[in-house]
Amino acid sequence: MKTMKKTIALLVAVSMIVGCVIGATLAWLTSTSGEVTNTFTTSDITVTLEETTGGVKREFKMIPGWTIDKDPKVTVEEGSEDCWLFVKITEENDLERYISYCTAEGWTRGDGSGEGKNGVPTDCIFRQVKKDDATKTFSIIGYMNGDAFVADKVLVRSTVTKTDMNTLTESTYPKLKFTAYASQLHKNNTDQFSAEEAWNNANSSATPTP
């Protein structure tokens, strides 16, 4: 009986030793990579519209046949995405009767909607601006001196008379206003917005530059 107990005890001990040995050899091969973090940042388009002439009130004295310095410039700020840039030009109080001007080079004039039209209102000019473009500040208007364009000036028409000016009051002075808008150029990785689509986007959702 004692011999059997010793034999059982010995078998149990041997089994424990074998179990420990087997357990020690069952180590799995493992590996863990470093973490890769993807951060999605914001994008934006910012435009500014500035003018240095005319003082705080932006008032200009009209003398028939004379030119007037008038240098509104629009800038797409650094860091902005590719965009369509628009400037709305508003004339008030029969301005064309008194002032001659035209838009600066590089702009396209809106010609309204319909077949063959670009879909941008006729009182707007527009252009594309890419984030890698070297120039992002643009003159808006000037006047024609014969065949030569003169930037950042307008011409008082020589046909304006003293009588014409005597009829003007503070509420009827001719005025020229500018408002800048911008809208992203691309709708996705492969397609661009048309000028008309971009104008509708900008006009309906963007805050115009004062």
Side-chain angles (χ1 to χ4, degrees):
M1 187 69 177
K2 289 183 178 180
T3 301
M4 184 178 292
K5 289 182 177 180
K6 287 181 179 180
T7 301
I8 293 172
L10 181 61
L11 290 173
V12 171
V14 171
S15 298
M16 292 178 65
I17 292 172
V18 172
C20 289
V21 172
I22 294 174
T25 61
L26 295 178
W28 301 103
L29 296 176
T30 62
S31 178
T32 303
S33 74
E35 183 179 72
V36 175
T37 301
N38 292 272
T39 302
F40 299 92
T41 62
T42 59
S43 60
D44 204 357
I45 299 170
T46 303
V47 294
T48 56
L49 181 61
E50 297 180 343
E51 185 174 347
T52 65
T53 57
V56 176
K57 291 185 176 181
R58 300 279 185 266
E59 291 183 349
F60 304 86
K61 183 180 292 187
M62 294 187 296
I63 302 175
W66 284 47
T67 62
I68 298 174
D69 290 335
K70 185 115 181 60
D71 68 344
K73 288 183 171 63
V74 60
T75 299
V76 178
E77 297 294 333
E78 286 296 327
S80 295
E81 299 302 314
D82 297 346
C83 67
W84 284 101
L85 178 62
F86 302 88
V87 176
K88 183 176 182 179
I89 303 175
T90 304
E91 301 178 3
E92 295 183 0
N93 298 335
D94 201 18
L95 176 108
E96 188 177 2
R97 178 178 178 181
Y98 299 90
I99 300 295
S100 174
Y101 77 95
C102 58
T103 55
E105 297 176 353
W107 295 96
T108 298
R109 171 70 70 169
D111 57 10
S113 298
E115 187 176 354
K117 305 291 187 179
N118 56 39
V120 177
T122 57
D123 60 355
C124 290
I125 56 176
F126 62 94
R127 67 197 305 155
Q128 291 184 8
V129 183
K130 305 290 185 65
K131 58 186 176 183
D132 295 329
D133 287 349
T135 300
K136 296 184 180 179
T137 297
F138 307 97
S139 292
I140 298 173
I141 60 171
Y143 80 99
M144 296 302 298
N145 183 12
D147 294 331
F149 175 77
V150 182
D152 304 325
K153 293 179 183 290
V154 297
L155 176 66
V156 182
R157 295 185 185 277
S158 59
T159 53
V160 175
T161 66
K162 181 176 180 180
T163 301
D164 292 330
M165 288 191 284
N166 285 344
T167 62
L168 296 174
T169 65
E170 187 170 348
S171 63
T172 61
Y173 288 151
K175 295 181 180 179
L176 189 59
K177 298 180 179 179
F178 306 93
T179 309
Y181 302 81
S183 180
Q184 69 186 68
L185 177 62
H186 297 95
K187 63 175 70 176
N188 53 43
N189 296 60
T190 57
D191 301 316
Q192 292 185 5
F193 285 107
S194 68
E196 181 177 13
E197 291 171 329
W199 166 253
N200 291 335
N201 292 341
N203 194 44
S204 62
S205 62
T207 301
T209 298

